[in-house]
Amino acid sequence: MNFRLATPDDIAACVVLRDRTRENAIPASRLAAMGITVETWSHDVRSGALTGHVCTDRESIVGYCFGDNASGEVVVLALLPTHERRGIGQRLLNLIVQHLAAAEHRRLFLGSAADPATRSHGFYRHLGWISTGRFDAAGDEILELVVSTRGEA
């Protein structure tokens, strides 16, 4: 497994992967309806609005995580089911947490499924993310993580 910064050229593969996740799979057509296309996402990476890391296995992207540099939001973490339970998601998330903390964000946030039966519900909480008691427009629960200047929770 190799971890590296995402580039605009990675985004087409990220869109395809997003529809292949175990939970919360979103097809390209639904992403487009939300205003997220290969073009818009690539632009956000190119402009520096979003920073992401990808994990590759034999040169294919198997997971990724992106953060919003202006707000401190972790906007997406996605991983192929074949690569779950190997620490890849946690490492990708940690890379973005460290990046956003280095950009001087002290309170990071993300939207996560509110259903305790979903894997993401326990995953984030196990890593120290705490519910704010608020929900976003998609019905996801807003979780937050307070980080130190070194990118640690």
Side-chain angles (χ1 to χ4, degrees):
M1 299 301 143
N2 294 308
F3 293 82
R4 63 171 172 78
L5 276 172
T7 70
D9 291 337
D10 294 324
I11 303 308
C14 291
V15 168
V16 170
L17 188 151
R18 189 66 176 93
D19 189 32
R20 296 175 57 207
T21 59
R22 183 179 309 275
E23 292 180 351
N24 199 24
I26 302 176
S29 59
R30 195 160 126 221
L31 288 173
M34 296 185 296
I36 303 166
T37 64
V38 171
E39 293 76 21
T40 61
W41 192 349
S42 297
H43 174 268
D44 287 346
V45 171
R46 192 176 297 105
S47 72
L50 293 177
T51 295
H53 287 269
V54 297
C55 176
T56 60
D57 183 5
R58 298 184 193 115
E59 305 305 316
S60 294
I61 295 174
V62 298
Y64 59 83
C65 188
F66 284 82
D68 184 303
N69 290 311
S71 68
E73 178 183 9
V74 175
V75 295
V76 64
L77 171 61
L79 186 64
L80 289 176
T82 55
H83 287 73
E84 292 174 350
R85 300 195 180 275
R86 298 185 192 183
I88 295 169
Q90 183 174 344
R91 183 158 175 202
L92 288 166
L93 181 62
N94 285 341
L95 288 166
I96 293 303
V97 166
Q98 290 169 5
H99 169 78
L100 293 172
E104 300 189 2
H105 289 285
R106 298 296 160 250
R107 181 194 160 273
L108 309 182
F109 67 100
L110 57 79
S112 176
D115 181 356
T118 62
R119 293 184 68 215
S120 62
H121 186 275
F123 173 79
Y124 294 114
R125 284 163 178 78
H126 173 74
L127 297 175
W129 293 78
I130 299 171
S131 175
T132 63
R134 298 187 322 267
F135 295 83
D136 64 18
D140 288 333
E141 186 174 14
I142 305 297
L143 305 181
E144 70 179 356
L145 181 74
V146 177
V147 295
S148 74
T149 57
R150 296 174 305 206
E152 301 167 351

